[in-house]
Structure formats: C-alpha cells, structure tokens
Amino acid sequence: MAPESFEDSADYVQSLARGLQVLRAFSHDMASPSLSQVAERAGLSRAVARRLLLTLQHLGYVGSRGRSFYLLPRVLELGYSYLSSLDLTELAQNTLALLSERVGESCSLAVLDGSDIVYVLRVPVRRVMSVALGIGARLPAYATSLGRVTLADLPEAELTAWLRGQKFRAITTHTLHTTTALKAELKRVREQGYSIVARELELGLCSIAVPIHAADGRVVAALNVGMPYADDAPARAVKLILPALQDAQRSIEYAIQHGSWQPHMALTRAYA
C-alpha cells in the first residue's frame, strides 16, 4: 500500500504520527524551540502542537522552561530500543576502537533510513566536520560514502524508486547531485566494493566506506573512516586505510554470522 493510501485508511493513527512529527522538530540547531517554532517545523497548527507537547511533557519526554520546550533523557529510550535490538553495535564496538587506533582517524557505523544515513556507532578522533556527529546524527545518503555503499546494494528497481523520490542539491561544488551521475557512481561502488567521497559533503572532508553484510549477503550497515581533505587524501585512503577498513569489515561480518566477536589479526597490528 502506498504511503498516501495508508494515511487515508482506518489503520492510520494520525495523533501518533503528529506526536512523532513534534519530536522530530527538535534538533541540534533548535534544541529549545518555542511553541510557534515547533508548530512551524512539524507543519501543525499551534493548538495541535500545544496539545501534543503537553502530552509529551506529561509522559516525561519533553520539558518546558518559560516559553521554550526541550527534550528530556527519556527520549533516548526510543532510540536505545532500536540500538539494543541490534547485536551489530555491541559486536562492532571493539572493532571500531581497534580500527580507529590503527589508522588514527574517526570511524563510524551507520544504517540507511529513508533519505539519510543514521549513525549508530562512532569513535571520534578529531572533529573534521563543521557539524557535531554523534549517535543518531543524520546525513544525506547520496552525498556520503556510508550512504553510497548501502545504496549500491539495493536491487535495481528499488534503487530507481529511491532515486526518483529524492531531491538532490549541490551541497558543495563537488557534490554529485544528478540521478545520472549518482547511478554511475553507485555502479562503480558496487563493482569495487567501497566508496570514496571527497569534498562533496564538506570541502575539508574525505571519507572511505565499505558495506557490512549479514549472513544472507544483504548489506545491513556501512563502516567508514573520515579524514581531513588533502590532495593526496583519496589515494592515501585507498592505499593505506582501505586494507584496515576491510579487515574491520571481515571482523564485524564474522561477529554477525557467529554471534561473537573475534578481531581480524591485522587489526591488532600498528598502522604504518
């Protein structure tokens, strides 16, 4: 059933959908919005937004200070329920720590969620982006190495539908932002088994990612290493970082398939 059709059905709970819209109105750049700001961001009337905020406040998900509202720690339970259902994050934690130590750069694990990739695990070394990235942070999938290795695994019909449903823009002058260019790049990623994105999301950023496969071969997540951009960064990423990334990939996939963690031996060697 198409999303629009389901929203007109008797099974669709509009109040629940609106409540989630209100929660999504909070963000890093608007941590304590006013009622009017929440209503505008959620696309709701002030009266509806007010009732939903008061309900969320009663349930312990939202607090208020004067005319501003803010999220309370209980909201984390919603995300933690998802993360705790993924053995993946627990099994990958040690591998990311070893990988980060080996290459001396920040490492991340993310999953595809609609138009975005969502970070589910991260070991930061230094801040290489202008925005702070943490668990739950979202970035546009089409402009990230994490997103591209995940998208490259989609069946052709599913990928075509995904591309058709997106609105692309040139985030920087280097961003691939047309369907034709992205399809060609995803084909290349599928063939080579990794993705490099340089200066497409931010001018000072370069990253390289590999897919994480489940036992049945499906890509269930993506693993990357991010680094400051330099002219030799892409070549260095392929020559020096990709082998370490692939060792980590094998370690995490082993853990997924066997339910226990065993580091790939190369991960314990010093990075040169």
Side-chain angles (χ1 to χ4, degrees), residues 9-173:
S9 73
D11 293 323
Y12 184 72
V13 183
Q14 187 180 62
S15 56
L16 174 59
R18 287 177 169 178
L20 293 173
Q21 285 176 248
V22 165
L23 288 177
R24 289 195 294 268
F26 294 84
S27 65
H28 178 73
D29 62 334
M30 194 178 288
S32 299
S34 65
L35 171 59
S36 297
Q37 289 172 320
V38 170
E40 182 179 358
R41 275 207 168 184
L44 302 169
S45 69
R46 280 172 53 92
V48 171
R50 177 179 175 276
R51 291 199 302 273
L52 291 167
L53 282 167
L54 291 177
T55 299
L56 290 167
Q57 184 174 7
H58 172 73
L59 295 173
Y61 291 103
V62 169
S64 63
R65 186 183 301 110
R67 298 191 175 200
S68 299
F69 294 87
Y70 56 91
L71 297 179
L72 291 174
R74 176 167 285 189
V75 170
L76 294 174
E77 294 176 358
L78 301 176
Y80 183 74
S81 296
Y82 169 71
L83 291 176
S84 62
S85 70
L86 291 178
D87 291 337
L88 178 61
T89 53
E90 183 177 349
L91 295 171
Q93 177 69 60
N94 290 331
T95 297
L96 257 70
L98 285 174
L99 174 62
S100 180
E101 182 179 355
R102 179 179 172 185
V103 302
E105 303 288 359
S106 300
C107 307
S108 305
L109 189 75
V111 297
L112 182 67
D113 181 30
S115 301
D116 302 327
I117 53 103
V118 180
Y119 285 80
V120 296
L121 200 58
R122 182 164 167 79
V123 178
V125 171
R126 64 175 69 88
R127 183 165 172 175
V128 294
M129 290 191 65
S130 61
V131 296
L133 292 177
I135 305 304
R138 306 175 76 94
L139 291 175
Y142 74 93
T144 64
S145 59
L146 289 162
R148 288 180 185 172
V149 293
T150 309
L151 291 169
D153 181 64
L154 295 179
E156 193 64 31
E158 193 173 336
L159 175 60
T160 299
W162 188 92
L163 290 167
R164 191 182 299 122
Q166 308 305 307
K167 291 183 178 179
F168 304 119
R169 66 184 180 90
I171 302 172
T172 75
T173 55

